[in-house]
Amino acid sequence: MRLFHVSEQSDIHHFEPRIPDRNDLDKHVGLVWAIDEFHLPNFLTPRNCPRVTYHIGENTTDVDRMNFFSTDTMTYAIVIENKWFHIVRSTTLYLYEFHTEDFVLQDHVAGYYVAKTKQIPIAKYEFRDLFSELIKRNVEIRVVDNLWNIADKVKASTLNYSLCRMAFAQPR
């Protein structure tokens, strides 16, 4: 297994645990967040880019697979708003890779791992063409004018999904 932190910052030398913003987590315990390699496509966009991501899970029905993917060979998709297309094209991201021993699984469906200790990256990768990186990972890319319709449909489906930065999405 490989774990990463994705950032638009090119010069991070270490990651200090931070108190989480999420209300479902202990506000007294700082965490360093990482994402596993399978779920990396969820974060191959600029940080504030609103997006709906989804993939086939163990409970995904054949009907949902047919309704949400353009071909039967696709298993992962990311949907962004058209106003973000050029921003995604022009953004460079940096992937910081971590040793895995200090991390524990926080969310299986999202691929989140957390550590309670300072982390020093073991490697850094630069991605200048985010669409190519998504395509290399066999991710179907969809560009729409508004995310809320697809978000509602995905939430009602049997797919595994993540709705990221929806506060920055176009209003309904």
Side-chain angles (χ1 to χ4, degrees):
M1 172 181 65
R2 297 173 73 192
L3 295 177
F4 302 92
H5 181 89
V6 182
S7 178
E8 292 175 48
Q9 291 181 258
S10 64
D11 59 349
I12 303 174
H13 302 287
H14 65 275
F15 292 79
E16 293 287 345
R18 291 191 291 179
I19 299 298
D21 292 334
R22 291 174 45 175
N23 291 328
D24 62 328
L25 297 174
D26 187 344
K27 299 286 188 176
H28 300 98
V29 178
L31 301 171
V32 174
W33 292 82
I35 189 79
D36 66 25
E37 193 168 17
F38 177 79
H39 295 90
L40 191 56
N42 292 4
F43 294 93
L44 294 181
T45 66
R47 178 175 174 81
N48 288 331
C49 176
R51 57 209 178 267
V52 174
T53 68
Y54 54 89
H55 63 275
I56 302 296
E58 61 186 42
N59 297 317
T60 302
T61 65
D62 288 341
V63 170
D64 280 344
R65 186 182 190 121
M66 288 175 41
N67 286 335
F68 286 93
F69 293 96
S70 61
T71 70
D72 59 3
T73 61
M74 301 304 286
T75 61
Y76 212 112
I78 182 170
V79 187
I80 64 169
E81 291 177 333
N82 54 21
K83 77 177 208 166
W84 281 88
F85 180 83
H86 292 294
I87 299 168
V88 172
R89 278 189 53 193
S90 64
T91 297
T92 298
L93 291 179
Y94 301 90
L95 272 65
Y96 295 90
E97 186 170 3
F98 298 121
H99 285 292
T100 60
E101 59 268 358
D102 292 342
F103 286 88
V104 295
L105 182 63
Q106 195 272 335
D107 185 324
H108 170 72
V109 172
Y112 295 150
Y113 287 76
V114 294
K116 296 178 183 177
T117 57
K118 174 180 171 178
Q119 297 296 310
I120 298 173
I122 59 172
K124 178 177 78 172
Y125 308 95
E126 182 177 317
F127 288 176
R128 291 181 176 266
D129 185 343
L130 303 181
F131 288 122
S132 288
E133 292 299 330
L134 289 165
I135 290 166
K136 276 192 234 177
R137 290 165 174 77
N138 202 35
V139 175
E140 183 168 326
I141 303 163
R142 297 178 61 193
V143 181
V144 298
D145 63 341
N146 190 291
L147 289 175
W148 293 105
N149 187 37
I150 188 70
D152 291 342
K153 289 178 180 177
V154 167
K155 287 191 318 190
S157 77
T158 59
L159 295 161
N160 289 352
Y161 67 89
S162 183
L163 309 180
C164 303
R165 298 296 197 186
M166 294 300 283
F168 296 99
Q170 294 289 324
R172 287 189 186 261

